[in-house]
Amino acid sequence: DPKRPFVPEAFTQLYHTPLYAELNTAQQLRYNQLYGLRSNELFMLFEEGFTRRVIWHLRRVCTEVDPLLGECLGLMLDEEADHHRMFLDFNRRVLPEAYRDSRGHFARPGMLESALLRLLTSRPVRWPFMLWLILLLEEFSTAFSRHLMAREQTDALCADYVRLHRLHLLDEARHVTLDVALLEH
């Protein structure tokens, strides 16, 4: 619904400044929707780039030591790819010209960020640190989705956006549990 916000106003940074009151209703709505798209894009970036790279390395090692854990990590990788596609499909429906490619519009990692990610994930000694970051980010995305679906707000928001995050939450809660199991392992 192009006439509904994607996220509660308080999620956005500008809402907490005097400048927000100077925007007219249409500008506030568009800003809210762009913020929602950007949030989706950050989740896409995290799931497809960061998590995928770390979990891929861990899966190779875990499959040899604990085949069941390796299988769970394989499922997690598939689910993260599905999440990326869900967020990208949603963003493309809302703003097709900005999402012709799958790289994103607001958050495109550059060569420096990509090289740093490769460096951080290349050595097993760094994987526990990376897992803690993944756990932190997955807990954040879980809290984001849960807060988004709070009963008092859901009716005012775009139903497709809320549904997208509800679907995302179904897997993310399990991923947090799997992250903790990996850290213990």
Side-chain angles (χ1 to χ4, degrees):
D1 183 353
K3 296 180 180 160
R4 289 186 181 245
F6 292 165
V7 299
E9 288 180 300
F11 275 30
T12 68
Q13 289 93 353
L14 199 57
Y15 174 77
H16 302 280
T17 69
L19 181 61
Y20 189 77
E22 296 178 26
L23 300 177
N24 65 38
T25 304
Q27 290 170 327
Q28 288 177 351
L29 176 64
R30 191 59 173 164
Y31 169 71
N32 182 290
Q33 292 172 340
L34 291 172
Y35 180 89
L37 294 175
R38 194 228 37 176
S39 296
N40 286 353
E41 194 171 311
L42 290 175
F43 289 145
M44 288 165 37
L45 181 65
F46 163 65
E47 292 189 349
E48 187 64 23
F50 186 76
T51 301
R52 183 165 218 33
R53 186 160 178 87
V54 173
I55 298 300
W56 183 83
H57 283 295
L58 288 169
R59 180 181 178 217
R60 287 184 320 144
V61 173
C62 287
T63 299
E64 296 171 14
V65 178
D66 184 345
L68 181 58
L69 184 56
E71 190 176 320
C72 290
L73 292 176
L75 179 61
M76 182 180 179
L77 288 172
D78 292 343
E79 290 169 350
E80 297 293 22
D82 289 343
H83 298 163
H84 182 273
R85 278 190 295 278
M86 288 179 354
F87 287 125
L88 182 59
D89 289 347
F90 180 90
N91 285 16
R92 279 183 176 153
R93 284 194 320 263
V94 175
L95 206 60
E97 65 278 5
Y99 293 96
R100 283 194 184 110
D101 64 25
S102 60
R103 289 187 42 208
H105 181 68
F106 296 102
R108 291 180 180 233
M111 289 174 45
L112 179 62
E113 292 90 354
S114 297
L116 182 60
L117 178 61
R118 282 191 303 277
L119 177 69
L120 286 172
T121 58
S122 64
R123 307 195 91 191
V125 71
R126 295 185 192 112
W127 293 347
F129 169 72
M130 302 304 285
L131 269 175
W132 278 108
L133 286 177
I134 289 172
L135 179 60
L136 179 110
L137 292 169
E138 286 186 334
E139 284 180 338
F140 170 78
S141 71
T142 299
F144 180 93
S145 296
R146 284 188 177 137
H147 189 63
L148 184 73
M149 293 181 296
R151 286 191 192 274
E152 67 274 5
Q153 300 170 140
T154 303
D155 293 339
L157 301 177
C158 173
D160 285 343
Y161 193 86
V162 172
R163 186 174 20 264
L164 173 68
H165 284 271
R166 184 173 287 121
L167 290 170
H168 181 240
L169 182 60
L170 291 173
D171 295 330
E172 286 304 301
R174 188 175 55 261
H175 293 178
V176 168
T177 303
L178 187 56
D179 293 338
V180 171
L182 277 170
L183 285 167
E184 289 173 353
H185 193 49

